[in-house]
Amino acid sequence: MSLHPLYATRTSRMKASEIRELLKLLDQPGIISFAGGIPDPKLFPAEEFAKAYQTALGSESKDQALQYSVSEGYAPLRQWLVDHMRQIGVECGIDNVLITSGSQQALDYLGKLFLSPGDTALVGWPTYLGAINAFDAYEPRFDQLSINGNRRAAEYTAAAGDGAVKFAYLSADFANPTGETVDLRGREAVLDLAEDLNCAVIEDGAYQALRYDGAPIPPILALELSRKGSIEACRTIYCGSFSKTLSPGLRVGWVVAAKPVISQLVLMKQASDLHSATINQMAVHQVAQTCFDTHVSMLRTAYRSRRDAMLSALEQYMPDGVEWTKPEGGMFVWVTLPKGISGADLLARALDTVKVAFVPGRAFHPDQSGSNTIRLSFSNSDEEKIREGVRRLGDLLRT
């Protein structure tokens, strides 16, 4: 018996993540992996988390740690996030904060909140694969978000047809997959476009804390707050995560937005998983208030060195015609191969002959373009492996 004929039509749009499949390669001997955009587990604050869980399971708090809780999230952690958001220019209250099971859950909820079949989501070209997959389940059309003034609101509206443009999604700092940062003028342009379209802005701040060079740029939500004076008047929704700073395995992220948006997301949380794991939130709160700034400072030093090693190796070993981004932070370098060279074909050859893994760039394009691009992650390899892996790829491209 097959239940396939009973599946909802949206399931036809669901497909396996190329990145999640490639993560399986990490266990294979001899593979140098630039594939998964994952933190180095050697840098996790494991001892601090061990103490935090011991505290959470102590006699005074164990009942709370192991019990059902409110959907909005653990109040002390939400209050810590209020203070954290203030430090990056966003004034908000505890009722503007929702804890989610990673920022990936937030993207799924926001797709569910805004998208009806046929509506338009504006995204980068390329953009984060997890966002494409999260939004795609709600049967939208994707259009390319332009921040250079080449397209006006009327063009987006005309292209949307019978649907509506519901939001612009972007990661303004060190984007996955390109590593690029949207400058101040570009962020202001996104806000202007959203005002003209009367749509939301979803700001993915997953990598915001991992800046290695240059001066910080205010988040889009902070810029909108300076225009409007109150978060309750803002259309920007900020998604944050502890996955890249403290631990991805605990699945703790957050959303900051106007109260009516948070209220709707809370209803979705109640219908989905009731609440994120309380003990994990308690542990993250203790570690965050104990050592967040010093830990992130250590990460910046470690990942800056690895980024520099990758950029230096690319300069030394890549043949003519290969181009790449020079990120100021984050975990990724985006490589453009000469026309006619397929990233997917190169991956197959690389795995077979030189034992190097990466992600072909086509997966990050909603229209499956960008076949001559690849994403390299430098976060989970040491400098020696980075140099060796890039050397192998350079030699392979010359054959």
Side-chain angles (χ1 to χ4, degrees):
M1 175 184 176
S2 173
L3 296 179
H4 187 270
L6 304 179
Y7 292 172
T9 56
R10 73 179 65 91
T11 61
S12 65
R13 303 169 67 106
M14 297 177 182
K15 50 186 176 293
S17 165
E18 291 190 32
I19 299 172
R20 308 248 63 85
E21 294 299 312
L22 284 168
L23 287 179
K24 299 173 184 177
L25 296 169
L26 296 180
D27 294 329
Q28 294 186 16
I31 292 285
I32 296 177
S33 178
F34 303 140
I38 59 178
D40 185 344
K42 300 183 186 67
L43 303 180
F44 292 158
E47 291 185 9
E48 288 79 2
F49 272 115
K51 295 175 184 176
Y53 278 100
Q54 187 175 24
T55 299
L57 291 172
S59 59
E60 295 183 3
S61 59
K62 68 178 186 302
D63 291 347
Q64 182 182 15
L66 300 176
Q67 185 58 278
Y68 286 116
S69 187
V70 297
S71 298
E72 289 84 351
Y74 182 55
L77 178 58
R78 292 164 67 210
Q79 185 58 55
W80 186 92
L81 286 166
V82 169
D83 297 335
H84 172 74
M85 294 301 296
R86 183 180 298 115
Q87 292 176 21
I88 62 174
V90 176
E91 288 287 342
C92 63
I94 193 171
D95 291 332
N96 299 113
V97 181
L98 168 69
I99 303 297
T100 57
S101 297
S103 61
Q104 186 66 29
Q105 184 179 66
L107 296 180
D108 176 57
Y109 286 176
L110 290 167
K112 183 183 294 186
L113 178 63
F114 287 111
L115 294 171
S116 298
D119 284 338
T120 294
L122 303 182
V123 299
W125 230 262
T127 195
Y128 171 46
L129 176 58
I132 296 174
N133 289 344
F135 301 150
D136 208 33
Y138 303 103
E139 304 176 76
R141 62 180 299 277
F142 292 98
D143 200 353
Q144 184 171 1
L145 174 62
S146 173
I147 59 174
N148 57 15
N150 289 345
R151 298 183 68 188
R152 303 297 181 185
E155 295 180 56
Y156 287 111
T157 301
D162 294 335
V165 179
K166 290 299 185 66
F167 59 73
Y169 164 82
L170 73 161
S171 183
D173 293 292
F174 331 122
N176 181 358
T178 65
E180 293 177 324
T181 295
V182 179
D183 63 16
L184 181 61
R185 180 179 297 180
R187 297 177 196 218
E188 296 281 11
V190 170
L191 281 175
D192 292 340
L193 177 64
E195 291 286 345
D196 291 342
L197 288 169
N198 192 26
C199 72
V201 176
I202 299 175
E203 180 176 14
D204 189 337
Y207 302 93
Q208 186 272 333
L210 298 180
R211 173 174 284 279
Y212 316 134
D213 299 323
I217 305 173
I220 296 172
L221 180 53
L223 296 174
E224 188 176 14
L225 268 166
S226 68
R227 293 184 179 190
K228 298 183 177 176
S230 168
I231 194 171
E232 302 307 326
C234 290
R235 62 179 69 245
T236 303
I237 301 161
Y238 184 96
C239 301
S241 175
F242 289 104
S243 292
K244 306 303 186 291
T245 53
L246 295 183
S247 165
L250 301 186
R251 311 308 302 133
V252 180
W254 71 90
V255 180
V256 173
K259 291 176 187 175
V261 174
I262 295 297
S263 295
Q264 287 297 125
L265 296 176
V266 168
L267 294 178
M268 293 179 181
K269 185 86 174 156
Q270 291 171 353
S272 175
D273 62 356
L274 301 182
H275 63 88
S276 297
T278 306
I279 191 171
N280 289 355
Q281 295 182 64
M282 294 173 73
V284 165
H285 173 248
Q286 180 170 323
V287 173
Q289 69 175 354
T290 301
C291 66
F292 184 83
D293 290 339
T294 55
H295 183 72
V296 170
S297 179
M298 179 274 293
L299 292 180
R300 289 175 183 144
T301 298
Y303 291 150
R304 179 190 293 113
S305 178
R306 297 175 189 191
R307 179 212 54 183
D308 291 347
M310 178 165 281
L311 293 178
S312 175
L314 288 166
E315 189 69 38
Q316 181 176 357
Y317 296 119
M318 282 295 139
D320 292 341
V322 179
E323 300 176 349
W324 55 89
T325 59
K326 297 176 175 61
E328 294 180 321
M331 294 182 170
F332 308 107
V333 174
W334 183 249
V335 178
T336 302
L337 306 170
K339 290 184 178 180
I341 297 180
S342 163
D345 291 345
L346 180 66
L347 174 62
R349 293 172 57 205
L351 291 173
D352 184 53
T353 60
V354 298
K355 305 300 182 185
V356 176
F358 53 84
V359 184
R362 187 174 61 184
F364 301 97
H365 294 76
D367 63 353
Q368 296 292 291
S369 59
S371 61
N372 67 320
T373 57
I374 63 175
R375 190 195 74 177
L376 304 179
S377 174
F378 53 79
S379 57
N380 197 29
S381 297
D382 61 32
E383 289 82 350
E384 182 179 352
K385 283 187 176 179
I386 288 170
R387 284 189 286 270
E388 176 61 17
V390 173
R391 183 194 66 77
R392 293 180 191 180
L393 282 179
D395 290 346
L396 185 62
L397 280 166
R398 287 186 174 88
T399 59

